[in-house]
Amino acid sequence: GKGEQCVQALQLLREMEDLLVERDTITYCAVASAFEKVGDWLQTSQLLHEMADSRVESHTTMFAAVMSACEKAGEWQQALQLFHDMSVGLDDREK
């Protein structure tokens, strides 16, 4: 099912890292999309922050996936926080 696809997508992302294959915006968005479909807001959010830590440029598609996952999970507070993060930048939040 969709849950298995999420796990496989995340495993592939980790294997890419282990093999030193570049992970880009499209890669992260594809994995986040799998988690968004099942409403896993925590994992999509973690992927967004992992992108920032890896210096991979965020894209509105990624933010949309996280916000959609938050909506599906009823985590409106997290969606509002993400909206705030988008307006000030993820890097500023860490400071």
Side-chain angles (χ1 to χ4, degrees), residues 36-88:
E36 177 269 330
K37 286 177 175 53
V38 296
D40 189 336
W41 70 272
L42 186 58
Q43 187 61 58
T44 55
S45 180
Q46 288 174 345
L47 286 166
L48 179 63
H49 288 284
E50 183 179 318
M51 282 179 74
D53 291 345
S54 299
R55 307 254 187 252
V56 175
E57 185 177 340
S58 298
H59 188 272
T60 54
T61 304
M62 188 67 177
F63 287 105
V66 179
M67 292 186 85
S68 177
C70 288
E71 181 268 328
K72 288 177 181 175
E75 293 289 339
W76 60 269
Q77 301 95 335
Q78 297 299 327
L80 288 175
Q81 182 63 54
L82 177 62
F83 187 75
H84 177 263
D85 290 349
M86 288 171 55
S87 65
V88 299

